[in-house]
C-alpha cells in the first residue's frame, strides 16, 4: 500500500511517500524550485516521490494533507473578530486568499493531483490530519522506541501550539494541548523579529547569537510577557504582541518594555541584540525543560520524541539531554512543517488504517537521506552539459584526493547519494572543511556562505569517536543536539576577549578544532554512521588516518538565502559562484582553477537574504 503525505501553503512545502509503512522518499519543494521556504503546492517534490517509488498517481491508495483548513479558518475568523477593529487590515489582506483558494483546499488539492495523474481532477482517497497530530506522528512512528512521550512545539497549527502525546506501539493519543495565541514558537519568533531577523527563517540566527550575550532580560520576559507555570504551561500577555491582529510580531508595548524599536534588518548588531537573544534562549530552555519533566511524570515513559519547529532548537535539545529527564531522546530531522508530510502519511498508515509497528532499535528516517540521487553516468552527462571540467576517479583515489584538499585547508563541495530531507546538510549536500584550521570559520562565513560573521559551523564526527571529543555519547545523526568540546581539547583564551565581537571572537582559537567550537565551547554535533552514509564515514576515517582528527566542518551546500543544492547542475553553479575550491560529485572531482573563467558567477547578490 502506498500513501502520499503533503505539507503546503504556509512555508516549507514538502511531499513524502510511504510503502507499507516504510518511508521511501521525502523532499522539500524549495530544492526543486530554488525558492527558499517555498510554500507552493509541492508538485516537483510529489513527482520525485512517485518516480522514486516507480509508480503513478493511479497506484496511490491515499493522499493525506497535514492540516485541517476549516479549523485553521475558524481560528483566523475568531481571532480577527476578537480584535475588531484593530485586526481589520490583517483580515482584509487574508480573507481574499482564503475565500478564493485556501478555504477550498480539497478542490485545489484534487486539481493539482490531477495534473500529476494526467486528468482534470484526481478522484482517489484524500484525507486530512490535524497539524500537531502530523508533527507528533512524524516524531513517534519513525522513532526507535516501542513507546514514548511525545512533545510537539511550534508557532501554531489550527489551534494547537504545543502538545503532549503518548505513543505505544501503533497507538498514539494527544493528552494535553496549549492553544493559540499562547505559543512558544511565536514567542521566539517575536524576538527573532525584534532583533531584526526574518520570521520562520532567522530563528536559528537568534540561537547562534545567544552565546555572545548575557541573559539579563529573563526576569523582564517572565514578569511581563510569559506567565510560566511549574508544569511548563504558559500564557502570553497579548498586549505585547501583534501577531493576532496586525502585520508584525511585536506591539508598541513590547518596544516600550525593552526600550527601543525593532532593529532594522541588516543593520549592525549590538550587545543589546546579543543580550536579547541570550535571554529568550534561556526562557525557551526553561519552558522546554519544564514541559519535559511534566511529560515524564504524566506518561511515566523513559523515552521522549520531539517535533515542531521549536524542536530544531538544538541548544535546548542539548540541555534537555544533559538533564537526563529521559533516558533517550529522538528528534524528527525535518521537525518543522516539511516533516508534516511524513507525519501525515504515517498517521494514516497507523491511525486511520490501524497497521502495526515493530521498531527494531533503528529509526525509520534512513539517516534522512530520502531525496533524489544521481548515478555516475547521469552526473557526468549533466556536468558536461554545464561546461564543467572534471576527472573521474575510482573510490579510493576520490577519497584520498578529497582529504588532500581538506588538509590543504581548501573548502570542498561534497555531493553524494540521496539528498537530505529537512533543513540540515548531513554529508550528502555539504560544504566541508578542516576543523583544525583557525581561518576556516572566517573563510566559510565570509567568502563561501556570504553570511553573518557570528554564525557557527557544525562538526561531523564518526559515531565511534564522538565521546573522545565531545561531552556526549549518544547518536546525533541529524545535527540536532549541542554538546561541549571536552576540556582536554580546549585552549586557553585571551584575557581581553570582552572587547571583541562577531568573527573577531570566533577567530580566537578555543580548542584544537577551532572552526567548529562556538564562543561558549559548544558544538552542534552530527554523528556519522557507516550504515547510513558509508562514503562520508569513509572520508572521515581517511581524514582521521591522515591527521588524527575524525572530524570535519560540515555546512550546507548553498549560499545565504539559497536552498541546499539538489542536482549536479545546482552544485556546479554554487561552486562557480563562490570561493569553494574543489567540488566532488559522485566520482567526479573538480578543481576551481581548471574551470572556464567565463562560467564564473556572482552568487553574492543572487538570492534574497534569509
Amino acid at each position: 500500500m502506498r500513501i502520499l503525505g503533503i505539507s503546503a501553503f504556509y512555508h516549507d512545502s514538502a511531499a513524502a511517500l510511504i510503502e507499507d509503512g516504510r518511508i521511501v522518499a521525502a523532499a522539500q519543494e524549495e530544492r526543486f524550485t530554488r525558492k527558499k521556504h517555498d510554500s507552493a503546492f509541492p508538485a516537483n517534490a510529489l513527482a520525485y516521490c512517485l518516480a522514486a517509488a516507480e509508480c503513478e498517481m493511479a497506484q496511490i491508495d491515499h493522499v493525506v494533507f497535514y492540516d485541517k483548513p476549516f479549523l485553521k479558518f475558524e481560528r483566523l475568523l475568531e481571532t480577527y473578530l476578537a480584535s475588531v477593529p484593530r485586526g481589520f487590515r490583517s483580515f482584509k489582506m487574508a480573507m481574499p486568499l482564503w475565500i478564493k483558494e485556501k478555504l477550498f483546499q480539497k478542490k485545489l488539492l484534487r486539481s493539482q493531483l490531477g495534473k500529476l495523474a494526467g486528468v482534470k481532477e484526481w478522484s482517489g482517497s484524500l484525507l486530512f490530519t490535524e497539524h500537531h497530530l502530523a508533527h507528533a506522528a512524524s516524531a513517534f512512528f519513525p522513532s526507535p522506541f516501542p513507546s514514548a512521550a511525545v512533545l510537539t512545539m511550534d508557532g501554531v497549527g489550527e489551534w494547537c501550539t504545543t502538545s503532549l502525546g503518548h505513543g505505544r506501539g501503533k497507538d498514539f493519543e494527544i493528552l494535553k494541548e496549549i492553544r493559540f495565541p499562547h505559543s512558544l514558537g511565536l514567542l521566539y519568533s517575536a524576538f527573532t523579529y525584534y532583533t531584526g531577523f526574518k520570521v520562520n527563517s532567522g530563528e536559528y540566527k537568534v540561537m547562534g547569537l545567544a552565546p555572545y550575550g548575557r541573559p539579563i532580560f529573563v526576569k523582564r520576559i517572565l514578569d511581563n510577557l510569559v506567565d510560566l507555570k511549574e508544569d511548563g504551561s504558559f500564557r502570553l500577555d497579548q498586549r505585547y504582541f501583534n501577531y493576532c491582529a496586525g502585520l508584525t510580531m511585536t506591539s508598541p508595548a513590547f518596544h516600550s518594555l525593552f526600550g527601543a524599536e525593532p532593529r532594522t534588518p541588516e543593520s549592525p548588531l549590538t550587545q543589546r541584540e546579543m543580550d536579547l537573544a541570550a535571554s529568550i534562549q534561556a526562557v525557551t530552555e526553561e519552558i522546554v525543560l519544564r514541559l519535559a519533566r511534566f511529560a515524564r511524570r504524566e506518561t511515566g515513559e523513559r523515552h521522549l520524541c520531539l517535533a515542531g519547529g521549536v524542536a530544531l532548537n538544538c541548544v535546548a535539545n542539548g540541555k534537555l539531554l544533559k538533564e537526563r529527564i529521559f533516558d533517550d531522546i529522538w528528534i524528527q530531522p525535518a521537525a518543522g512543517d516539511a516533516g508534516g508530510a511524513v507525519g501525515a502519511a504515517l498517521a494514516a498508515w497507523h491511525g486511520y488504517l490501524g497497521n502495526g509497528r515493530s521498531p527494531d532499535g533503528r529509526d525509520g528516517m534512513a539517516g534522512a537521506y530520502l531525496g533524489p540521487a544521481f548515478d555516475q553516468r547521469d552526473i557526468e552527462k549533466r556536468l558536461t552539459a554545464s561546461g564543467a571540467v572534471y576527472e573521474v576517479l575510482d573510490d579510493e583515489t576520490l577519497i584520498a584526493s578529497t582529504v588532500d584538499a581538506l588538509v590543504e585547508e581548501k573548502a570542498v563541495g561534497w555531493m553524494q547519494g540521496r539528498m537530505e530531507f529537512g533543513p540540515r546538510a548531513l554529508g550528502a549536500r555539504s560544504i566541508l572543511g578542516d576543523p583544525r584550521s583557525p581561518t576556516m570559520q572566517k573563510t566559510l562565513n565570509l567568502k563561501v556562505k556570504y553570511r553573518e560573521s557570528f554564525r557557527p559551523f557544525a562538526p561531523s564526527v564518526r559515531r565511534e569517536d564522538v565521546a573522545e571529543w565531545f561531552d556526549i555519547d549518544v547518536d546525533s545523526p541529524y545535527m540536532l543536539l549541542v554538546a561541549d568540546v571536552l576540556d582536554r581539547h580546549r585552549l586557553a583564551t585571551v584575557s581581553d576577549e570582552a572587547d571583541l565581537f562577531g568573527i573577531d571572537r570566533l577567530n580566537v582559537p578555543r580548542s584544537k578544532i577551532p572552526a567548529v567550537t562556538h564562543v561558549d565551547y559548544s558544538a552542534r554535533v552530527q554523528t556519522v554512521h557507516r550504515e547510513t552514509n558509508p562514503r562520508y564515514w569513509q572520508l572521515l576515517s581517511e581524514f582521521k588516518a591522515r591527521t588524527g582528527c575524525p572530524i570535519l566542518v560540515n555546512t550546507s551546500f548553498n549560499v545565504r538565502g539559497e536552498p541546499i543544492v539538489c542536482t549536479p547542475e545546482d552544485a556546479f553553479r554554487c561552486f562557480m559562484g563562490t570561493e569553494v575550491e574543489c567540488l566532488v560529485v559522485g566520482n567526479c572531482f573538480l578543481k576551481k582553477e581548471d574551470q572556464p573563467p567565463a562560467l564564473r558567477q556572482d552568487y553574492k547578490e543572487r538570492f534574497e537574504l534569509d
Side-chain angles (χ1 to χ4, degrees):
M1 177 174 285
R2 297 186 180 99
I3 302 175
L4 272 174
I6 297 175
S7 66
F9 308 132
Y10 182 41
H11 60 91
D12 295 301
S13 291
L17 190 148
I18 67 171
E19 285 185 345
D20 297 330
R22 182 176 66 90
I23 304 168
V24 172
Q28 293 123 284
E29 186 68 3
E30 66 164 23
R31 306 293 171 85
F32 304 93
T33 62
R34 312 308 299 155
K35 179 183 177 183
K36 189 82 168 173
H37 303 302
D38 197 344
S39 62
F41 178 81
N44 296 285
L46 281 165
Y48 153 69
C49 288
L50 292 172
E54 299 180 341
C55 71
E56 299 176 347
M57 280 302 302
Q59 296 167 285
I60 297 298
D61 297 281
H62 303 280
V63 174
V64 194
F65 192 70
Y66 84 131
D67 229 350
K68 291 197 171 178
F70 279 100
L71 284 179
K72 183 173 281 188
F73 184 65
E74 174 189 77
R75 188 249 302 168
L76 289 170
L77 277 182
E78 288 193 25
T79 301
Y80 289 139
L81 287 171
S83 58
V84 169
R86 192 163 56 93
F88 180 73
R89 186 180 172 201
S90 181
F91 174 83
K92 186 179 176 182
M93 290 180 67
M95 283 306 105
L97 183 61
W98 270 92
I99 293 171
K100 180 182 177 183
E101 186 173 279
K102 288 189 174 184
L103 197 56
F104 305 101
Q105 274 180 25
K106 183 178 287 189
K107 183 175 177 60
L108 174 63
L109 289 168
R110 288 198 180 280
S111 172
Q112 294 289 348
L113 291 166
K115 292 177 182 178
L116 288 169
V119 296
K120 184 176 181 180
E121 191 171 276
W122 185 73
S123 59
S125 170
L126 179 60
L127 307 172
F128 293 81
T129 185
E130 289 195 22
H131 185 95
H132 272 256
L133 180 58
H135 274 320
S138 79
F140 175 61
F141 291 128
S143 80
F145 310 136
S147 64
V150 183
L151 277 174
T152 68
M153 303 164 287
D154 69 359
V156 61
E158 296 88 1
W159 280 101
C160 181
T161 68
T162 302
S163 76
L164 166 62
H166 193 181
R168 286 167 286 200
K170 68 178 179 62
D171 299 317
F172 179 82
E173 62 176 328
I174 289 180
L175 305 176
K176 305 278 185 180
E177 287 185 351
I178 297 173
R179 304 192 100 199
F180 184 84
H182 310 292
S183 165
L184 180 54
L186 292 176
L187 173 66
Y188 205 92
S189 291
F191 279 85
T192 301
Y193 168 82
Y194 188 64
T195 51
F197 301 116
K198 188 179 288 188
V199 172
N200 290 330
S201 173
E203 283 78 5
Y204 59 95
K205 298 183 187 181
V206 176
M207 183 181 68
L209 189 62
Y212 294 97
R214 304 155 298 172
I216 60 176
F217 297 111
V218 167
K219 188 174 187 302
R220 197 175 305 182
I221 293 170
L222 293 176
D223 284 350
N224 296 276
L225 304 185
V226 187
D227 179 14
L228 176 60
K229 304 302 184 185
E230 189 59 36
D231 63 1
S233 62
F234 56 87
R235 294 182 66 82
L236 304 185
D237 189 331
Q238 290 303 303
R239 290 177 299 170
Y240 296 100
F241 302 95
N242 198 36
Y243 54 75
C244 281
L247 302 176
T248 61
M249 293 300 298
T250 56
S251 73
F254 189 107
H255 311 158
S256 176
L257 180 66
F258 292 101
E261 293 296 303
R263 169 180 165 258
T264 302
E266 304 304 315
S267 64
L269 286 161
T270 68
Q271 186 64 47
R272 170 186 175 74
E273 284 78 44
M274 296 182 247
D275 293 342
L276 286 163
S279 301
I280 190 55
Q281 180 64 33
V283 169
T284 298
E285 290 166 11
E286 181 60 28
I287 293 173
V288 170
L289 289 173
R290 291 192 189 189
L291 286 169
R293 292 189 189 102
F294 176 74
R296 178 66 192 259
R297 292 195 303 269
E298 192 77 359
T299 65
E301 291 289 347
R302 295 167 41 245
H303 300 117
L304 175 68
C305 299
L306 297 174
V310 177
L312 293 172
N313 193 309
C314 51
V315 179
N317 296 342
K319 296 280 177 67
L320 181 55
L321 180 72
K322 203 165 186 177
E323 286 288 311
R324 303 298 299 173
I325 298 167
F326 289 88
D327 293 354
D328 202 0
I329 301 169
W330 191 84
I331 308 154
Q332 164 56 237
D337 274 16
V342 168
L346 289 172
W349 173 254
H350 294 291
Y352 179 72
L353 298 171
N355 289 296
R357 175 175 173 268
S358 302
D360 59 3
R362 294 176 295 179
D363 76 57
M365 290 296 294
Y369 305 114
L370 295 166
F374 301 85
D375 65 32
Q376 183 62 28
R377 182 177 296 181
D378 194 20
I379 290 169
E380 293 176 28
K381 181 181 176 181
R382 288 166 177 264
L383 288 177
T384 298
S386 298
V389 177
Y390 56 86
E391 294 179 272
V392 179
L393 306 177
D394 62 62
D395 291 353
E396 186 176 338
T397 306
L398 184 85
I399 295 293
S401 298
T402 305
V403 172
D404 288 342
L406 291 166
V407 169
E408 291 168 10
E409 298 190 18
K410 293 178 178 177
V412 176
W414 177 260
M415 177 179 162
Q416 302 291 331
R418 297 186 71 177
M419 182 178 68
E420 303 92 339
F421 181 56
R424 308 293 184 215
L426 302 169
R429 303 291 188 275
S430 294
I431 296 172
L432 308 177
D434 186 342
R436 304 168 304 153
S437 167
T439 61
M440 184 57 60
Q441 177 112 23
K442 183 176 183 179
T443 298
L444 290 177
N445 259 330
L446 302 182
K447 295 185 177 182
V448 173
K449 301 289 282 188
Y450 303 128
R451 69 184 198 180
E452 300 94 340
S453 64
F454 66 84
R455 288 163 63 177
F457 289 104
S460 290
V461 57
R462 298 194 325 167
R463 171 63 181 95
E464 50 267 56
D465 295 312
V466 67
E468 294 297 314
W469 287 83
F470 304 98
D471 185 23
I472 188 174
D473 194 12
V474 299
D475 294 353
S476 181
Y478 303 124
M479 209 181 281
L480 286 171
L481 293 170
V482 161
D484 292 337
V485 175
L486 292 177
D487 289 345
R488 65 174 176 268
H489 298 299
R490 296 185 185 184
L491 304 175
T493 56
V494 295
S495 58
D496 59 349
E497 188 188 341
D499 298 329
L500 304 176
F501 170 68
I503 198 68
D504 295 320
R505 284 190 69 190
L506 279 171
N507 281 340
V508 176
R510 298 171 189 282
S511 76
K512 298 173 187 174
I513 44 172
V516 294
T517 305
H518 206 10
V519 293
D520 58 354
Y521 295 99
S522 69
R524 179 162 41 97
V525 176
Q526 179 206 359
T527 56
V528 178
H529 303 247
R530 188 174 197 170
E531 300 77 19
T532 53
N533 196 334
R535 178 163 279 194
Y536 193 34
W537 183 91
Q538 186 59 48
L539 180 67
L540 285 161
S541 299
E542 181 62 27
F543 189 78
K544 179 184 180 181
R546 191 89 64 88
T547 67
C549 177
I551 301 166
L552 288 173
V553 180
N554 177 9
T555 188
S556 55
F557 199 159
N558 61 338
V559 299
R560 182 184 174 192
E562 178 192 22
I564 295 172
V565 302
C566 176
T567 67
E569 294 93 333
D570 296 335
F572 183 67
R573 280 193 298 269
C574 191
F575 171 59
M576 294 303 292
T578 63
E579 295 186 42
V580 171
E581 290 129 312
C582 296
L583 174 62
V584 187
V585 185
N587 280 67
C588 295
F589 192 92
L590 294 78
K591 298 177 182 177
K592 181 63 66 64
E593 60 267 24
D594 295 339
Q595 308 308 312
L599 296 180
R600 288 298 302 261
Q601 300 190 31
D602 181 8
Y603 244 44
K604 195 169 186 178
E605 308 296 334
R606 180 164 180 169
F607 296 95
E608 181 183 348
L609 296 180
D610 59 2

